[in-house]
Amino acid sequence: MFVDNVKITVRSGKGGDGSVAFRHEKYVPLGGPAGGDGGRGGDIILRADEGMNTLMDFRYKRIFKADPGQNGQIKSMYGRKADPVYIAVPTGTSVYDEDSGQLVGDLIENNQELVVAKGGKGGRGNIHFANSKNRAPEVAENGEPGQEKHIKLELKLIADVGLVGFPSVGKSTLLSVATSAKPKIAAYHFTTLNPNLGMVKLDNGQDFVIADLPGLIEGASNGVGLGIQFLRHVERTRVILHLVDMDPENGRDPYTDYLAIRKELGTYDENILSRPEIIVPTKLDVEGSEERLQEFKEKLPDDADIFAISSIQHTGVKQLLNHTSEVLANAEPIHFNVVNDETVEYKYQPKADKFKIEKEEDHSFIVTGDEVERLLQMSNLDHQDGIMRFARKLKGMGVEDALIKAGAESGDSVTILDFTFEFI
């Protein structure tokens, strides 16, 4: 089963909590703090695998989780970081952020990796909070929460040459003659329901991959028929073989069909129209096809690259493949949107408010906001020093003044996430 579009959820691991501990060796007076840091949580990493050719596996598993980092230990021992979770995807997979629609990156080479969810960093142990005023702090940080992201995976086949044209023009037949591929072939429309790949091996050693891209009809770029599902696969073909049916009994006009397919390709991605195109009139073994071919040629520009064939009789197929390899050798490479540290373009985005206060009842307030919620999640409230540090941080962020301005009085309850405390 061919699947080329899926949505999955990834959750990186939470960082390990920092430890509150003290030295208790017999001959070490005033031993001081000795709580180690927590380990980093596990990353979620996509890895390209050229042995895969479908996203079908993701139909059965859509949620991927990484382990949290190990908590810090006594005697200043740091927690172990969690192992990353690797997810294999086919080469040619584009990764999008489902919430924003932004392209995260393209995985086009075997074993290429892309981190889609970074594990949370480990919390600091109390060895980091000792100072001249507080030599025995009971303060430690909890680990940073992991990231949860909804991402969309789109497989775009990486083929050198793409076969396009209306249904039943002979794409699958040409693929079967030119390669060892065995696509389904029958005398009715939409025989091919999935893209088929084949390797063309020429006597001169110039091999290339060819793809049969099914389902293109008029209106495909706007969602008509099956074509919209497979138009994305045309994006990565360097040379287009445009097959046009010359059978006079099919009730269609070849030139009209040719223009219709060109329009669909241009509507989907106008860059496709600038790539080398070889026009391939097919079914020359049918009676009356030669006359129709002459009429078709008269309507085309003088510089059109035309190679007529009969896949059934193998007429012109070898010449077409040799010519295709020559065109391919001079074709421009496809530039992919590979995201890495060197090519990321920073775009300024206004910083969101640190927090927001809502009055739920007469004496109850709710504080929301990414920064204040992250502060709570990374605060260790099991010790008095940790509670005091959390209170100081809230005051430093302006939460206390904002609560007073909102009408909060001593004794009112304040809730952040699932933590409720009394306002004083």
Side-chain angles (χ1 to χ4, degrees):
M1 182 179 179
F2 182 81
V3 177
D4 60 358
N5 193 329
V6 296
K7 298 175 183 179
I8 64 173
T9 299
V10 294
R11 296 172 187 161
S12 60
K14 170 186 175 296
D17 297 339
S19 173
V20 175
F22 298 91
R23 299 185 66 179
H24 296 290
E25 287 91 339
K26 184 175 181 180
Y27 299 107
V28 182
L30 304 177
D37 296 353
R40 175 175 285 277
D43 299 334
I44 303 289
I45 303 176
L46 301 182
R47 176 186 285 169
D49 182 356
E50 64 182 7
M52 299 178 64
N53 56 14
T54 177
L55 297 171
M56 184 178 65
D57 291 346
F58 296 97
R59 286 290 180 92
Y60 308 105
K61 183 177 181 181
R62 294 181 180 267
I63 300 176
F64 297 85
K65 302 177 183 178
D67 293 331
Q70 187 181 23
N71 293 338
Q73 306 294 316
I74 62 174
K75 298 183 180 180
S76 302
M77 292 188 293
Y78 284 28
R80 182 179 62 83
K81 69 177 182 180
D83 295 330
V85 173
Y86 291 95
I87 305 173
V89 298
T91 53
T93 299
S94 294
V95 185
Y96 295 87
D97 185 295
E98 176 65 17
D99 298 324
S100 66
Q102 182 180 4
L103 175 67
V104 179
D106 278 326
L107 296 166
I108 58 173
E109 298 178 359
N110 190 38
N111 293 325
Q112 185 179 356
E113 296 180 356
L114 178 66
V115 179
V116 290
K118 193 74 174 175
K121 65 181 181 181
R124 294 178 294 173
N126 67 335
I127 57 175
H128 297 283
F129 296 95
N131 53 49
S132 59
K133 293 183 179 180
N134 187 359
R135 298 186 177 183
E138 293 187 345
V139 179
E141 287 180 336
N142 290 337
E144 183 182 26
Q147 299 176 340
E148 177 172 329
K149 292 185 178 180
H150 306 284
I151 61 177
K152 181 170 67 173
L153 305 179
E154 283 191 0
L155 174 59
K156 300 175 183 178
L157 296 179
I158 301 178
D160 300 308
V161 178
L163 303 178
V164 300
F166 271 84
S168 297
V169 296
K171 298 188 298 294
S172 297
T173 304
L174 175 58
L175 181 70
S176 66
V177 172
T179 73
S180 59
K182 294 180 173 58
K184 183 179 180 182
I185 301 172
Y188 53 87
H189 283 338
F190 300 112
T191 305
T192 306
L193 300 179
N194 299 314
N196 292 304
L197 285 175
M199 174 68 76
V200 175
K201 297 183 179 181
L202 301 177
D203 296 336
N204 58 12
Q206 295 180 344
D207 303 340
F208 57 87
V209 178
I210 190 169
D212 169 16
L213 305 172
L216 282 183
I217 60 174
E218 192 168 2
S221 58
N222 296 318
V224 177
L226 300 173
I228 189 64
Q229 303 177 34
F230 307 115
L231 271 169
R232 70 173 67 94
H233 300 295
V234 188
E235 291 181 34
R236 293 180 172 170
T237 56
R238 296 166 56 201
V239 175
I240 303 296
L241 292 189
H242 192 153
L243 277 63
V244 185
D245 190 351
M246 293 294 118
D247 184 357
E249 301 298 329
N250 63 6
R252 306 184 62 88
D253 177 59
Y255 188 66
T256 303
D257 286 356
Y258 171 74
L259 294 180
I261 295 297
R262 292 278 295 177
K263 180 181 178 181
E264 296 308 318
L265 295 177
T267 303
Y268 179 77
D269 185 353
E270 60 182 10
N271 294 322
I272 296 176
L273 298 182
S274 63
R275 296 176 192 169
E277 178 192 53
I278 303 175
I279 303 173
V280 185
T282 63
K283 303 185 181 180
L284 291 188
D285 52 288
V286 179
E287 184 177 353
S289 59
E290 289 288 351
E291 292 78 4
R292 192 168 238 213
L293 173 60
Q294 293 305 317
E295 296 175 2
F296 178 60
K297 284 183 177 181
E298 292 174 359
K299 298 178 181 179
L300 294 173
D302 294 335
D303 59 348
D305 194 359
I306 307 174
F307 268 78
I309 65 168
S310 168
S311 298
I312 298 297
Q313 298 178 345
H314 295 199
T315 305
V317 173
K318 186 174 181 179
Q319 293 84 347
L320 170 65
L321 298 178
N322 287 329
H323 178 65
T324 302
S325 69
E326 295 174 1
V327 174
L328 187 61
N330 299 317
E332 292 291 331
I334 303 298
H335 298 286
F336 299 99
N337 298 304
V338 181
V339 177
N340 54 50
D341 293 340
E342 297 178 356
T343 60
V344 168
E345 179 182 355
Y346 178 76
K347 295 182 180 179
Y348 173 76
Q349 292 181 347
K351 191 172 182 179
D353 295 336
K354 292 182 180 180
F355 59 86
K356 182 179 179 182
I357 295 177
E358 296 179 3
K359 189 172 183 180
E360 189 179 31
E361 298 174 355
D362 289 342
H363 300 284
S364 178
F365 296 83
I366 297 178
V367 181
T368 58
D370 291 342
E371 193 164 336
V372 71
E373 291 172 0
R374 182 175 179 273
L375 172 64
L376 172 65
Q377 292 171 322
M378 295 189 66
S379 297
N380 186 333
L381 305 181
D382 294 336
H383 301 274
Q384 185 63 27
D385 286 356
I387 296 175
M388 296 305 295
R389 178 175 180 270
F390 175 63
R392 289 195 300 272
K393 288 278 189 180
L394 286 181
K395 185 174 183 178
M397 293 172 61
V399 175
E400 182 176 317
D401 292 338
L403 283 168
I404 294 174
K405 187 176 180 180
E409 301 175 350
S410 292
D412 290 352
S413 64
V414 179
T415 301
I416 304 175
L417 293 178
D418 58 351
F419 177 68
T420 302
F421 58 92
E422 182 180 338
F423 181 67
I424 300 176

